[in-house]
Amino acid sequence: MMKPLIHRWLLLATLISLPAMAQETEYQFGVRWSVNDLASSLSIQGIMLDFTGVASNFDRRQPITEYTRTGNNTIELKTWIDGGYWAEDQIKASLLYWEPGQNPNTEANTAFEVVMMPGVEDAKPEIVSVDPSAPLQPRESDIGFSSNGRYETLHISFNNRQSMPTWCWQEGDVLQDNDATRDSLTREYRRLHALFAAGDNEALLNAAATRTEELAIASDTPEEYVRHRFSYDMYFDNPDVYQLNDFPEEPMTLNLAADNRVAWLTTEGVNVPIVFSHVGEGETVTFIRPYFIKRNGQWEICR
């Protein structure tokens, strides 16, 4: 079990020309999930969106429009606990949709909801509600709960009936899980680390143009607002509080997702190479967590 950390999932993307988008989305999408006193992680298409490495109680929402494609999609909610589950333990996940301009916290509709009671003998995930008019529909035969001895996974497959843009994470080359891919990606991480070490906020934001454009499309908000939201000036303007860690020297672990088109590196567990330590706050850190694709021979930060 990891030591307690405060994670701020900060995502980047590189400057590339976006392909022509399909028709504008009619709805925006999100996932709402809750666990009671469990450690957990949430992924879509294999791309991790959230990690809580200590037992926690929460009820969270996360927008996923830019991770959702037309047709089949998959979400995995992993949980683990020492000593086994209690009968009252509950894992719940809901797929949400709302119209642009609506407040997703108060006006989102529930497409469907899945509940799992892992401490109940012979329990199986149960779809407790379905909105038949929603664009997101559960694939009942592909919803299950499994264990590999280290953690349990609630696997949720769903179909999106709405036409979507072709996102950057769908367009990367199929990557090989080998040392050559890892070493090539390590060099790209070193380049980014050097930009952080130089405190070059503009260069980092310029490198994030794809992320900015796609998140603006997904959230129906101006690109300038998205760009401003991801400014790193808070870290660069307060070097006495936020200190960039040295880049790791040891070889790292290559992680692949989204049909092996998305890649990122980890050092230990889910820790990543680019980290800001918070001075005077014990083990509190900020992880910079880019997700890459490779296209035309170049690494691009897609999310």
Side-chain angles (χ1 to χ4, degrees), residues 33-53:
W33 74 104
S34 62
V35 300
N36 58 301
D37 205 28
L38 302 173
S40 66
S41 69
L42 179 79
S43 300
I44 182 168
Q45 327 295 10
I47 304 169
M48 190 173 68
L49 302 183
D50 185 87
F51 178 85
T52 305

Side-chain angles (χ1 to χ4, degrees), residues 13-85:
T14 51
L15 179 59
I16 59 173
S17 297
L18 283 172
M21 292 291 183
Q23 70 182 61
E24 291 186 8
T25 59
E26 298 176 10
Y27 293 104
Q28 295 165 13
F29 303 130
V31 60
R32 179 179 183 178
W33 74 104
S34 62
V35 300
N36 58 301
D37 205 28
L38 302 173
S40 66
S41 69
L42 179 79
S43 300
I44 182 168
Q45 327 295 10
I47 304 169
M48 190 173 68
L49 302 183
D50 185 87
F51 178 85
T52 305
V54 294
S56 304
N57 289 285
F58 59 75
D59 184 341
R60 293 181 181 166
R61 297 178 184 229
Q62 170 85 35
I64 59 169
T65 305
E66 67 272 22
Y67 295 95
T68 306
R69 58 190 165 199
T70 302
N72 189 28
N73 296 265
T74 58
I75 283 178
E76 290 186 334
L77 178 54
K78 292 182 170 65
T79 54
W80 58 95
I81 192 170
D82 293 329
Y85 295 95

Side-chain angles (χ1 to χ4, degrees), residues 6-250:
I6 295 178
H7 304 274
R8 299 182 184 178
W9 306 110
L10 302 177
L11 310 179
L12 303 170
T14 51
L15 179 59
I16 59 173
S17 297
L18 283 172
M21 292 291 183
Q23 70 182 61
E24 291 186 8
T25 59
E26 298 176 10
Y27 293 104
Q28 295 165 13
F29 303 130
V31 60
R32 179 179 183 178
W33 74 104
S34 62
V35 300
N36 58 301
D37 205 28
L38 302 173
S40 66
S41 69
L42 179 79
S43 300
I44 182 168
Q45 327 295 10
I47 304 169
M48 190 173 68
L49 302 183
D50 185 87
F51 178 85
T52 305
V54 294
S56 304
N57 289 285
F58 59 75
D59 184 341
R60 293 181 181 166
R61 297 178 184 229
Q62 170 85 35
I64 59 169
T65 305
E66 67 272 22
Y67 295 95
T68 306
R69 58 190 165 199
T70 302
N72 189 28
N73 296 265
T74 58
I75 283 178
E76 290 186 334
L77 178 54
K78 292 182 170 65
T79 54
W80 58 95
I81 192 170
D82 293 329
Y85 295 95
W86 297 95
E88 61 269 23
D89 285 336
Q90 178 176 268
I91 302 165
K92 183 188 298 184
S94 307
L95 273 296
L96 309 175
Y97 69 103
W98 62 92
E99 295 182 12
Q102 290 184 320
N103 184 338
N105 294 314
T106 58
E107 299 178 278
N109 301 297
T110 299
F112 66 92
E113 184 171 85
V114 178
V115 174
M116 178 65 196
M117 307 292 289
V120 175
E121 188 174 357
D122 297 326
K124 296 181 180 179
E126 180 182 359
I127 302 173
V128 297
S129 68
V130 178
D131 176 357
S133 66
L136 308 180
Q137 294 292 308
R139 297 168 59 94
E140 295 188 35
S141 62
D142 291 331
I143 293 178
F145 190 74
S146 62
S147 174
N148 69 355
R150 294 184 297 121
Y151 53 79
E152 285 67 45
T153 302
L154 176 60
H155 179 94
I156 300 173
S157 180
F158 65 94
N159 187 58
N160 176 22
R161 301 187 295 203
Q162 179 171 290
S163 179
M164 300 295 288
T166 301
W167 305 111
C168 56
W169 57 265
Q170 297 174 264
E171 296 205 321
D173 298 336
V174 176
L175 300 168
Q176 300 298 313
D177 187 0
N178 56 31
D179 289 347
T181 303
R182 182 201 64 202
D183 294 346
S184 175
L185 186 54
T186 298
R187 290 191 290 272
E188 185 64 16
Y189 269 91
R190 285 187 178 277
R191 186 184 73 84
L192 282 177
H193 188 272
L195 290 178
F196 278 103
D200 196 336
N201 189 57
E202 282 301 304
L204 288 165
L205 292 179
N206 289 338
T210 297
R211 178 215 61 203
T212 298
E213 185 168 349
E214 290 201 350
L215 289 183
I217 292 170
S219 61
D220 193 35
T221 55
E223 290 186 27
E224 190 57 35
Y225 172 79
V226 176
R227 179 183 170 94
H228 176 73
R229 215 182 81 198
F230 281 84
S231 170
Y232 299 99
D233 280 338
M234 177 180 71
Y235 304 99
F236 301 145
D237 291 347
N238 296 281
D240 55 330
V241 177
Y242 303 107
Q243 294 187 353
L244 182 67
N245 290 9
D246 292 338
F247 194 83
E249 295 300 327
E250 296 298 322

